[in-house]
Amino acid sequence: MKNPESQITRYRRDRNSSWWVRVSDRIAKQVITVGGIGTILVVMLVVFVLLGNVVPMFRANSLATLGTISVASQFSVASQVDAPEASDGSVPVACGVDEYAELLWVLHSTCSITVHSIETGKLLSTHSPKDAPKDAPKDEGSGRSLPSIVCCSVADNDASMLAGCSDGSVRPITLSIVVEFVRAAELNDSISEALKSGVALDDGTVYRSMPSGLVRKQTVSDIIFHKPIDISTRPITSVDWRTPQSASSFDESQTWTWGASDGESIVLGTVDNQVNSFTGSITQQSKNWKASYPTGVSESKLIALMVGSRSEHIESLDSAGKIIVWTPTSDGKLVSGISHTSLAGTESKALIGTALLGRSTFMIGSKSGHIEGVALTSTDAGQELLSIHRFAGEGGAVQGLAASPEGRLVAAAFESGKGAVYYVPTNRKLLEWTLDANHDSVADGHVFFSANAACVGSLNDKQVKLWRLQIPFPEASIGSFFGRIWYEGYPAPQHVWQSSTGNVQGEYKFGFMPLIFGTLKATFYSMLIGAPIALMAAIFGSEFMNSRWRARVKPIIELMASVPSVVLGFIGALVLAPILRDNLMMVLLSVATVLFLFVFTAHLWLVIPSPTAIRLRYFRLPILFALIPLGVAIANRSSGTVEAAIFGGDVVQWLSNRNGSGWAGWFCLALMPVSILVAWVVSGPLGPYVQAYARTMSSFRFSLVNLGIFGLSTLAVLLIAALSAWAVAAMGWDPRGSVLGPYQERNALLVGAILGFAIIPLIYTISEDALQSVPQHLRSASLACGASTWQTTIRVVVPTAMSGLFSALMIGFGRAVGETMVVLMAAGNTPVMDINPMNGYRTLSATLATELPEAARGSTHFHALFLAAFLLFCFTMVANTFAEIVRMRFRKRAFQL
């Protein structure tokens, strides 16, 4: 009889144990639930952070009215300084706005400059040349007024301009806007009282309270009307003005470059300003080049000029839309060179022209309302002028056209009374608004940008209207990110990524296609090299390798995953790249010889009698390892002969089009597809005949026949590849320049080998586990039916484990897509779209690593990099989703087994 106390004790112990198990299960359930929900939330948070930095780029732009300033009666204020004696016939010619949108200066035809407060519209000061009497001719005395200004060109920074006068002279004018920040306690009582309303005016100065407690003080000072430069006896009709920035903050010496025309001649001039560092005096030296403009060409007249970006030439535009490039010579003349007739001239009539930022593109406004950009472009034939941009306007002829000093924006005023701002590289309209309800009041006006492009304005003979722009990301659009854009200097629209330039006038290019292409290129070559090796190694280790060997080899392969990618990149860039460069033919031939030896040895193994093969099965892996150095040694000995016979001596020089024909390249490219084709023919259409023939002979005799079939197949591959290459080369097609190209030391093959090494452990481990998870009874049933180990592996084990094998490939794909350091150090980091495996590339991840730390926060470049990160996330998400769908499909099929 059992002891009652022991039963009670056992019951209590079991009850306590079950209670602890229930508590443990609850805790585990809660932890797993929290972990799963937390993972989902973290992934969603990453998506929200990425989208939060991407979506703002695509928000609508805005425009707000800043003010209207009357300039019709500018001389009626008593606070004028050095005002002329009369204001009859005064017409505004040009104007500018400071970076804070506080001051407006206006240049009038009477050679005077008035300064206005934008907020109040009041006239602050008036400035005129102090040497007016000296400008009068000797025979008329000094009572004559200054020559009137008929045209003007303002520098990008609004700090200088060139005025074209009615007497055939041009006059440089410089001004400076002084900005100071002072404490409110330093101001007098009247200014402090006026600042309670936000802004105060005193003695030509604008004061504004800042949130920091300081007061911003702005005034226009040092307006200098430089000595006129006589170039003609006829009135000047068009001018252009270019002033480069000073070499340093300690040297104010500058060289001004200008162009002018009187309608019949063109003058390109320079003014070299040398500033004495001790006295501050300025010494000016001028030099001019002149040419007569060809008259009688379609009865057209010259309407605009553009000095080149490097001041090495000047371009002229006439009303027929013809642009001519003029180059200075050593004898003081201008020689006409390249010319181009724009569509604005052939389809309509050119009315106005202006230089786009960077002075490489001439923007033309036509009578039909179209706006066109013509740029000097490098082509195969040399330098050519091409119309690279063209877009329709907002109704009627183009009456005004202005280029932004901060980006590739143009503002246009149309005959319909509409105004619009366009981003030129993508031909995209960013803003549209009504300049004035009365169309006549703007018919003779023009538009302009402020010095920092934060404001846009229109000017006519009565008033200046100003609007504040909100265009934070003009470069951002689906077309600019993923479409072909015709950039300056390119012969055709292209996908280009160039996020930095040498100066502020450079053209930013945010085309993602080269980065996407580079990412896919890196993934393709790494998977092409790493995936077959990993899958074959997993199949061999799971189905053919002895369990004792497998227990030793698998941990070693998994240990490969612990090597940091930066170490792999370092080894690839500094060790393997020079070796591959100096022994390219030997390396390529080694791959072919090792693969050939593997297949040839497999056929030789079938010749060995079955009892002997069973006893020697433990030596299969050492034999495979021994074949690798044997293949490399054979390739090393024969590479020189093969290289001389096929590539004419040097494969690197052959890739650079220095020797040989295209036959060698087509032959090498055809070997792989022809090998697959021959293998399919032998195992597919010819398979039943071979099997029927095998039943009539012993296994030993068939193994010899099989070895002969392999030899004939090898000869067939070489013969078909050679004939195919000869046929393609006979048609004049050369793979160099398209499929192949010049060899670069850091290229796709190098990165594919290194990155393939990195993904092999992942694919191998998961694939081997998937193969091992196949039920043993399936293998036993297949072997019992008479199938060989190889047949069982290919037709039973692999199809059953296909879901796991595909998951392994997708994990390797994700690892290759997101790799950073290997491609950053060994891929050359060049964003080019080139399928040439001997060339480099740049990936999305490498771009993020190199550019995100240096990107200006809030810029288009900064937000575009977040878009690159979002694209990288989408790649992995799509790949994982596709892998899950395929995995579930294979799992359903395997479940039926």
Side-chain angles (χ1 to χ4, degrees), residues 394-395 413-419 433-439 442:
E394 302 305 315
F414 299 92
E415 190 178 11
S416 62
K418 295 286 186 178
W433 73 99
T434 300
L435 291 172
D436 200 307
N438 183 3
H439 297 176
V442 296

Side-chain angles (χ1 to χ4, degrees), residues 324-575:
I324 302 177
V325 178
W326 303 84
T327 306
T329 61
S330 57
D331 57 354
K333 297 181 180 180
L334 290 175
V335 179
S336 62
I338 306 171
S339 63
H340 172 78
T341 301
S342 62
L343 296 176
T346 57
E347 298 179 358
S348 178
K349 181 181 179 181
L351 298 179
I352 191 172
T354 188
L356 192 64
L357 179 68
R359 293 185 170 272
S360 295
T361 301
F362 211 152
M363 301 303 301
I364 306 171
S366 65
K367 188 176 181 180
S368 63
H370 288 83
I371 300 175
E372 183 177 354
V374 178
L376 195 62
T377 305
S378 297
T379 63
D380 295 337
Q383 293 284 327
E384 293 184 18
L385 285 169
L386 297 177
S387 298
I388 64 175
H389 301 296
R390 180 175 167 84
F391 40 90
E394 302 305 315
V398 180
Q399 300 290 348
L401 194 63
S404 169
E406 294 291 333
R408 275 162 170 73
L409 304 176
V410 293
F414 299 92
E415 190 178 11
S416 62
K418 295 286 186 178
V421 176
Y422 302 88
Y423 183 63
V424 176
T426 57
N427 302 338
R428 187 167 65 101
K429 181 174 66 176
L430 303 178
L431 284 173
E432 176 188 355
W433 73 99
T434 300
L435 291 172
D436 200 307
N438 183 3
H439 297 176
D440 295 335
S441 63
V442 296
D444 298 329
H446 69 274
V447 291
F448 63 94
F449 282 95
S450 62
N452 59 353
C455 301
V456 64
S458 66
L459 169 68
N460 55 37
D461 57 354
K462 297 180 180 179
Q463 61 187 11
V464 175
K465 278 194 171 185
L466 295 174
W467 295 268
R468 188 179 297 276
L469 296 175
Q470 287 292 336
I471 310 178
F473 310 106
E475 304 91 349
S477 67
I478 299 298
S480 62
F481 288 148
F482 303 103
R484 293 181 181 272
I485 305 298
W486 201 337
Y487 295 106
E488 296 174 349
Y490 288 79
Q494 296 184 19
H495 297 289
V496 183
W497 174 273
Q498 184 181 349
S499 59
S500 60
T501 60
N503 52 55
V504 71
Q505 298 180 350
E507 188 173 17
Y508 294 98
K509 309 170 184 67
F510 297 112
F512 278 102
M513 294 308 296
L515 306 183
I516 296 174
F517 180 86
T519 302
L520 297 179
K521 185 178 181 180
T523 305
F524 171 76
Y525 282 105
S526 61
M527 295 293 290
L528 180 66
I529 296 175
I533 296 176
L535 289 178
M536 295 303 172
I539 292 174
F540 182 84
S542 174
E543 305 302 319
F544 298 94
M545 188 184 295
N546 183 272
S547 58
R548 185 174 57 186
W549 278 97
R550 183 169 60 248
R552 298 174 181 175
V553 172
K554 185 176 180 180
I556 296 176
I557 296 179
E558 292 175 346
L559 192 63
M560 293 165 51
S562 63
V563 180
S565 59
V566 65
V567 175
L568 295 177
F570 177 81
I571 294 174
L574 299 182
V575 179

Side-chain angles (χ1 to χ4, degrees), residues 502-750:
N503 52 55
V504 71
Q505 298 180 350
E507 188 173 17
Y508 294 98
K509 309 170 184 67
F510 297 112
F512 278 102
M513 294 308 296
L515 306 183
I516 296 174
F517 180 86
T519 302
L520 297 179
K521 185 178 181 180
T523 305
F524 171 76
Y525 282 105
S526 61
M527 295 293 290
L528 180 66
I529 296 175
I533 296 176
L535 289 178
M536 295 303 172
I539 292 174
F540 182 84
S542 174
E543 305 302 319
F544 298 94
M545 188 184 295
N546 183 272
S547 58
R548 185 174 57 186
W549 278 97
R550 183 169 60 248
R552 298 174 181 175
V553 172
K554 185 176 180 180
I556 296 176
I557 296 179
E558 292 175 346
L559 192 63
M560 293 165 51
S562 63
V563 180
S565 59
V566 65
V567 175
L568 295 177
F570 177 81
I571 294 174
L574 299 182
V575 179
L576 297 182
I579 295 177
L580 184 62
R581 177 198 61 203
D582 299 334
N583 305 276
L584 179 60
M585 189 65 211
M586 190 270 288
V587 173
L588 296 178
L589 194 59
S590 297
V591 176
T593 54
V594 169
L595 292 177
F596 176 80
L597 288 177
F598 279 171
V599 181
F600 178 70
T601 305
H603 284 79
L604 283 179
W605 187 268
L606 296 177
V607 180
I608 302 175
S610 297
T612 305
I614 293 174
R615 289 194 303 268
L616 298 177
R617 67 182 184 273
Y618 299 107
F619 295 95
R620 289 182 296 189
L621 183 61
I623 291 174
L624 288 178
F625 285 151
L627 291 177
I628 296 176
L630 177 62
V632 174
I634 295 175
N636 186 34
R637 293 295 300 272
S638 60
S639 60
T641 304
V642 174
E643 191 173 18
I646 298 180
F647 296 100
D650 191 348
V651 63
V652 175
Q653 293 185 2
W654 180 89
L655 289 170
S656 301
N657 286 319
R658 297 181 182 177
N659 54 10
S661 65
W663 177 87
W666 292 123
F667 174 74
C668 295
L669 293 174
L671 284 176
M672 181 62 70
V674 170
S675 299
I676 297 174
L677 176 63
V678 171
W680 174 80
V681 170
V682 172
S683 61
L686 298 180
Y689 300 99
V690 175
Q691 294 175 4
Y693 184 68
R695 296 189 185 100
T696 63
M697 61 183 66
S698 63
S699 60
F700 176 75
R701 290 182 58 189
F702 179 72
S703 62
L704 295 178
V705 173
N706 194 30
L707 186 61
I709 294 175
F710 171 73
L712 294 176
S713 300
T714 303
L715 293 177
V717 168
L718 296 176
L719 182 60
I720 296 174
L723 292 177
S724 302
W726 176 81
V728 176
M731 291 185 288
W733 295 346
D734 196 322
R736 293 170 291 185
S738 56
V739 182
L740 301 176
Y743 180 81
Q744 303 293 331
E745 184 171 330
R746 301 184 180 185
N747 52 64
L749 284 182
L750 174 65

Side-chain angles (χ1 to χ4, degrees), residues 151 153 162 170 231 236-241 258-263 265-269 293 302-308 313-318 323-324 326 334 352-356 359 361-363:
C151 56
S153 176
L162 181 70
V170 294
I231 63 173
I236 302 299
T237 58
S238 57
V239 293
D240 191 36
W241 179 247
W258 54 271
S261 173
D262 59 0
S265 62
I266 298 176
V267 178
L268 175 65
Y293 188 76
L302 194 146
I303 59 175
L305 298 173
M306 183 182 78
V307 177
H313 69 269
I314 185 171
E315 300 178 20
S316 62
L317 170 68
D318 60 23
I323 298 177
I324 302 177
W326 303 84
L334 290 175
I352 191 172
T354 188
L356 192 64
R359 293 185 170 272
T361 301
F362 211 152
M363 301 303 301

